[in-house]
Amino acid sequence: MKSKSKVLRARSQSWDPVASWYAGWAGRNGSHYHRTIAVPLMLELLSLKGGERLADLGCGHGILAPPVADLGARYIGVDLSSRLLAVARRHHARHGRFVLGDATQLPDHKLLTPGAFDAAAFLLSIQDINPLAAAIAEAARLLRPGGRLGLVMLHPCFRIPRQSGWGWDEGRGLKYRRLDSYLSALAVPMQEHGQGTTRSYHRPLGDYVAALNAAGLAVTGIKEVADNPGPQDKRADKRATREFPLFLGMKAVKLE
Ligand SMILES: C[S@@+](CC[C@H](N)C(=O)[O-])C[C@H]1O[C@@H](n2cnc3c(N)ncnc32)[C@H](O)[C@@H]1O
């Protein structure tokens, strides 16, 4: 059995084995969470203008391409999964270009010229990409000075795979959020879908800020967004849903 530190250092894998499941589950324009929270949050963080160039790292089947193209910006998606990229090209060829590559070690490719991008994005992908420092350094390398990086992820302080969940305090009639660990970085195998299992990486918030700073990026904004409670939810459920953010968005700018 591999030691924990080796697993934590290992490079992340393509989502090829779960590609049909993921593309089917999320759908052509993204899941409910993509459409209602994650994509609007990313667009808000990036403030793209017409003619700007965006690199979407860990782009999957390219659900960010249409809203970026709608803004008149140029979209280039990069992913390790040739199967998800095939779906992306089938659905979104007119919205952008797609390149097969490892975001932690970008290929030499004419569409990925260092310094040629105004913006880069990790949309619900950074927690599936490892090592973190290499991925952030590659994003920084693509950006021009003053270029922006947007990160949208499950909130690493409250949504730690297998180490967090809801609890019920009978005495206070209160739904609470329970954390079983936080500061330890983890590589967590996710539920098996399709032909295999993927791995998700938990890192504490400080690791993200440290990786951004080490790559010459300054954090200029953070936005924490909660899920929307369902109309049928009980009062305690609604309160808990609104109180503990589901997503974290971070914006960083490449220093001149
Ligand atoms: C949860 S999916 C997110 C895809 C897309 N951003 C979305 O929101 O639908 C995570 C993606 O990260 C990709 N991935 C994992 N490791 C990678 C790496 N080192 N380089 C590029 N992509 C990677 C996987 O292939 C998968 O498509």
Side-chain angles (χ1 to χ4, degrees):
M1 198 173 131
K2 280 187 183 169
S3 79
K4 192 172 162 189
S5 59
K6 266 195 195 152
V7 172
L8 278 173
R9 279 198 306 271
R11 285 183 187 281
S12 50
Q13 304 288 311
S14 140
W15 275 34
D16 267 354
V18 298
S20 316
W21 163 77
Y22 186 72
W25 170 79
R28 189 180 183 128
N29 297 309
S31 68
H32 168 76
Y33 285 117
H34 279 105
R35 285 180 278 111
T36 58
I37 306 183
V39 170
L41 175 57
M42 180 58 85
L43 296 177
E44 183 185 332
L45 294 169
L46 294 175
S47 319
L48 287 169
K49 295 180 212 60
E52 286 196 318
R53 193 187 299 255
L54 168 81
D56 179 13
L57 303 170
C59 67
H61 61 305
I63 61 123
L64 190 57
V68 167
D70 285 350
L71 292 169
R74 283 173 291 173
Y75 173 98
I76 290 152
V78 178
D79 203 282
L80 259 184
S81 166
S82 52
R83 289 186 174 182
L84 282 171
L85 291 180
V87 179
R89 291 188 184 107
R90 200 160 66 239
H91 290 162
H92 302 304
R94 68 194 172 90
H95 299 124
R97 306 286 299 276
F98 297 92
V99 177
L100 180 66
D102 185 340
T104 68
Q105 218 170 31
L106 286 171
D108 223 354
H109 191 286
K110 63 178 187 320
L111 291 176
L112 298 175
T113 310
F117 287 81
D118 305 287
F122 289 100
L123 174 69
L124 300 182
S125 61
I126 195 67
Q127 287 164 315
D128 302 304
I129 297 181
N130 204 52
L132 174 67
I136 299 288
E138 286 295 70
R141 199 162 65 84
L142 289 179
L143 291 173
R144 62 164 170 80
R148 296 96 65 198
L149 173 64
L151 297 148
V152 171
M153 64 183 100
L154 283 174
H155 203 303
C157 303
F158 301 107
R159 312 281 171 161
I160 306 166
R162 300 199 186 172
Q163 299 295 315
S164 63
W166 297 112
W168 177 250
D169 184 328
E170 196 62 57
R172 297 169 72 203
L174 194 73
K175 187 169 170 179
Y176 62 86
R177 192 86 195 151
R178 165 188 171 150
L179 300 186
D180 297 332
S181 73
Y182 170 69
L183 280 177
S184 303
L186 300 170
V188 187
M190 302 308 280
Q191 199 185 336
E192 180 142 349
H193 290 287
Q195 321 259 294
T197 310
T198 57
R199 200 172 265 151
S200 183
Y201 298 88
H202 164 73
R203 302 105 179 182
L205 185 55
D207 286 13
Y208 288 96
V209 177
L212 290 164
N213 286 345
L217 294 158
V219 177
T220 56
I222 279 195
K223 189 150 184 193
E224 299 171 289
V225 185
D227 194 2
N228 299 306
Q232 312 296 334
D233 289 355
K234 296 199 185 87
R235 219 169 71 119
D237 292 316
K238 283 190 173 154
R239 179 191 168 278
T241 301
R242 291 199 181 104
E243 201 53 43
F244 296 99
L246 179 58
F247 292 111
L248 171 69
M250 295 178 84
K251 176 179 169 181
V253 174
K254 182 167 171 175
L255 299 170
E256 304 281 334

